Amino acid sequence: MAISDLRFPTDRTLVMGILNVTPDSFADGGRYNSIEAALHRGKRLLDEGADIVDVGGESTRPGSERISVDEELARVIPVIRALSELNAIISIDTTRAEVAIAAIEAGAKIVNDISAGLADPTMLKEVAARNVPYLAMHTRGNAKEMTSLATYKDIVAEVLNELAERVREILAAGISTKNLVLDPGIGFAKEAIHNWAILNALPQFEELGFPVLIGASRKRFLGELVDASDTDSREPATIALTAILAERRIWGVRVHDVKAHRDAIKVAGKFK
């Protein structure tokens, strides 16, 4: 199944709605940490116009602790199975091949791997064998290490080079060029100055030849800019960023509040 087979709109930026089935995610940890609450939230994301619902069962915020495979599966599989019955396009947000495989079997159509295959050496071949779209993000190290690894001499050049190396590995594993989306990893092993440099250099990332997804929703660098320490109060800044990204025709944004971002994209679409 290629990305084109999912029949996404091609005339606007896509919206991926975040569904964290976790107690400790940075922006909404614990709000949807039950199957019932997660299903209610997932249905709302769909009603608001999410093109993709991104289901994750393990927090990847800096400093977070890993959970067991069994715990991750228990959190996400019932939710994916139920939402897939609503014909939702679901991505599984995981770095583990075992979870990705189970999620695909439960109805997920996309694998969203923040490690781009580095966390699990079997991930790329398993995704290739199932011929599903693969979202590969740039980061350095794991959640415990990433903050200390946010050191760069030339952030744009280094992230481009590191992503290009991951692309070579991903394609060599058999994942089709038609199934690959890249994410420069805003906030992952990056400080605010790095995030802004990447956002200002997005055309260079698109020159790698693949669609680009941006996940900046409610992140700290936006809070620092607008003096908003509470994650919910960073939403207006996130919406403003989405409008700019949509005007520039970025492939997709990963966000918490779908309706507001769909509205921002509609407004941006009126500018030629």
Side-chain angles (χ1 to χ4, degrees):
M1 175 185 293
I3 294 171
S4 58
D5 295 328
L6 296 176
R7 301 186 182 280
F8 289 129
T10 58
D11 60 346
R12 63 166 173 81
T13 292
L14 301 180
V15 176
M16 172 185 278
I18 299 168
L19 180 52
N20 289 319
V21 192
T22 63
D24 54 349
S25 292
F26 85 96
D28 57 2
R31 294 183 187 178
Y32 316 114
N33 191 33
S34 71
I35 293 174
E36 182 180 4
L39 288 176
H40 183 269
R41 178 60 176 172
K43 291 174 182 177
R44 179 172 177 179
L45 293 174
L46 293 170
D47 289 343
E48 291 181 351
D51 299 293
I52 305 166
V53 176
D54 191 42
V55 179
E58 181 177 46
S59 174
T60 53
R61 62 179 174 76
S64 60
E65 298 284 348
R66 294 228 70 176
I67 61 173
S68 70
V69 173
D70 287 345
E71 177 64 21
E72 189 176 355
L73 288 168
R75 291 177 181 179
V76 300
I77 297 304
V79 175
I80 292 171
R81 187 174 291 118
L83 291 178
S84 67
E85 293 177 356
L86 302 176
N87 296 317
I89 297 176
I90 301 165
S91 58
I92 174 63
D93 178 4
T94 187
T95 61
R96 290 168 162 150
E98 184 176 346
V99 175
I101 293 167
I104 293 166
E105 292 173 349
K109 304 295 185 186
I110 302 169
V111 174
N112 180 16
D113 179 3
I114 68 161
S115 80
L118 289 172
D120 186 334
T122 66
M123 176 68 90
L124 298 182
K125 69 176 184 179
E126 294 294 353
V127 171
R130 286 157 182 80
N131 191 32
V132 296
Y134 183 65
L135 279 51
M137 194 193 78
H138 173 273
T139 190
R140 287 179 172 178
N142 57 37
K144 292 287 189 181
E145 303 167 328
M146 68 173 71
T147 300
S148 65
L149 297 175
T151 57
Y152 303 88
K153 293 182 179 179
D154 184 334
I155 176 66
V156 173
E158 290 176 56
V159 173
L160 280 168
N161 288 337
E162 290 169 25
L163 262 182
E165 175 58 29
R166 296 313 307 145
V167 168
R168 287 190 285 272
E169 294 288 337
I170 289 165
L171 299 183
I175 294 175
S176 168
T177 57
K178 296 179 180 180
N179 271 341
L180 182 57
V181 175
L182 300 181
D183 180 344
I186 298 298
F188 285 82
K190 299 171 188 73
E191 300 296 340
I193 192 171
H194 303 139
N195 295 326
W196 290 117
I198 287 171
L199 289 169
N200 277 288
L202 286 179
Q204 295 182 55
F205 287 88
E206 291 176 311
E207 287 173 4
L208 291 173
F210 300 93
V212 173
L213 173 73
I214 296 296
S217 188
R218 303 181 183 179
K219 290 189 174 176
R220 185 179 62 182
F221 80 108
L222 292 173
E224 291 174 354
L225 179 68
V226 299
D227 193 25
S229 58
D230 177 73
T231 54
D232 286 351
S233 62
R234 301 169 188 170
E235 187 63 24
T238 310
I239 296 166
L241 179 57
T242 286
I244 294 168
L245 293 172
E247 192 273 334
R248 296 181 181 181
R249 302 296 191 267
I250 203 74
W251 180 80
V253 291
R254 183 178 182 272
V255 300
H256 292 85
D257 186 354
V258 167
K259 175 63 166 62
H261 292 270
R262 281 295 303 268
D263 289 350
I265 291 166
K266 287 179 181 179
V267 172
K270 292 298 182 181
F271 290 84
K272 305 300 182 182

